[in-house]
Amino acid sequence: MSSTRLLVLGVLRILQPTHGYQVRAELLSWGVDEWARINPGSIYNALRTLERHQLVRVVDASQDGNRPARTTYELTRDGESEFFGLLRGALWSLDEHDPSTIQAGLSFVNWLTRYEVVEAMTARIALLDARLAEIGHHRRHLTEARNLPFQAVEGSEVHEAHLRGERAWAEAFAERVRSGRYLFYPEAGWDAGPGPDGWVFDRSEVGDVGGTSRDAEPQD
C-alpha cells in the first residue's frame, strides 16, 4: 500500500480545495519526512499522479503576478473511495516491511466509526498471532539447525519482538477505543468534515454513536 497516496489524499480531503504547497506544509508538519520517508518532491508527484488517475481534480490554476501558477485541487468521488479503501487497508492488513502504513492509517482513523476501528484491531491482532506462530515455528527450526549462524536466529528474534510490540499496542489501542476514548465519526462533538460516504453532516443533529444526519447533499 502507498502511504504517500493515503497521506496526500487524506490531507487534501481535510483542506480541500487547496494547493500542493499547503498539502506539503501540512504533511511536513506531521514529520512524514522522518517516519514515512516522504520528501517534498514526492508529494507533488503524488498529486500529479492522482490527477492523472482522476482521483483528484483541478479546480483552479490561477497565477498571482509573476509568481508561478498555483494549482488548486479537490477530491473526486473516486478519490473518496480510494482514500477510504487505503485507510481501511492500513488498519485491517499487516505490512511488516513498512511500519509507516499503520501510522498513515492512524492519521485519519477518526473518519471511521468506533465499532469498525475495534473490529479492525481485533482482526489485526488475529493476523499478528498467526504471523507470530509462524515465525516462532521457523525460529525453532533455525535453533535446531546447529549449522546455521546465530545471527539468523537473532534476526528472527528481533522480528518477533517487533510484532509482539505491535500486538501489545493493538490490544491496548482497541481497549482505549472500546472504553470511549477519543471521538470517531459520527459521534457528538466529532468535527472532521464529510463522512465516509461523502455526505456532509450537520453536527448539531448528530447524537450518540451510530447517529447520522443526511440532510446535506453529497459532494462530488
Side-chain angles (χ1 to χ4, degrees):
M1 191 205 82
S2 170
S3 297
T4 302
R5 176 172 283 210
L6 171 57
L7 287 164
V8 170
L9 282 171
V11 168
L12 180 58
R13 192 175 193 275
I14 293 170
L15 301 177
Q16 66 181 331
T18 190
H19 49 80
Y21 178 79
Q22 288 178 313
V23 173
R24 170 184 176 274
E26 182 68 20
L27 284 174
L28 291 179
S29 75
W30 296 5
V32 298
D33 51 330
E34 297 179 2
W35 58 264
R37 299 187 296 277
I38 297 175
N39 59 58
S42 63
I43 295 171
Y44 292 111
N45 288 336
L47 281 168
R48 286 190 287 270
T49 300
L50 291 169
E51 182 190 357
R52 189 164 62 249
H53 292 167
Q54 298 183 339
L55 300 177
V56 305
R57 58 168 163 255
V58 175
V59 295
D60 186 47
S62 59
Q63 186 171 2
D64 184 8
N66 294 326
R67 295 181 179 181
R70 177 166 284 180
T71 304
T72 302
Y73 301 92
E74 66 181 12
L75 265 65
T76 63
R77 179 72 77 174
D78 287 344
E80 286 275 316
S81 298
E82 176 76 359
F83 168 71
F84 280 102
L86 292 173
L87 173 56
R88 290 185 166 106
L91 296 177
W92 286 85
S93 304
L94 288 182
D95 190 344
E96 296 177 51
H97 304 293
D98 186 3
S100 70
T101 299
I102 182 62
Q103 289 180 266
L106 288 172
S107 299
F108 310 106
V109 69
N110 63 322
W111 291 105
L112 302 176
T113 65
R114 184 181 300 276
Y115 174 79
E116 180 173 356
V117 174
V118 171
E119 289 290 291
M121 290 301 104
T122 302
R124 191 176 191 87
I125 290 167
L127 290 173
L128 286 163
D129 283 341
R131 189 71 179 103
L132 283 164
E134 179 184 358
I135 292 171
H137 178 79
H138 180 62
R139 178 167 48 79
R140 287 190 293 273
H141 173 74
L142 291 177
T143 303
E144 293 167 1
R146 300 180 183 277
N147 59 324
L148 289 177
F150 75 87
Q151 293 94 328
V153 177
E154 291 300 325
S156 176
E157 290 273 9
V158 73
H159 188 189
E160 184 176 353
H162 286 159
L163 292 179
R164 286 195 182 283
E166 181 175 338
R167 189 197 186 283
W169 163 79
E171 195 168 50
F173 178 55
E175 182 55 34
R176 287 191 290 273
V177 174
R178 190 182 293 111
S179 65
R181 188 87 62 88
Y182 316 125
L183 285 173
F184 294 87
Y185 156 89
E187 299 168 7
W190 177 87
D191 187 14
D197 54 3
W199 293 81
V200 177
F201 290 87
D202 179 353
R203 276 71 176 184
S204 65
E205 298 182 7
V206 176
D208 296 331
V209 178
T212 304
S213 169
R214 297 201 170 190
D215 293 335
E217 292 297 321
Q219 295 182 341
D220 292 328

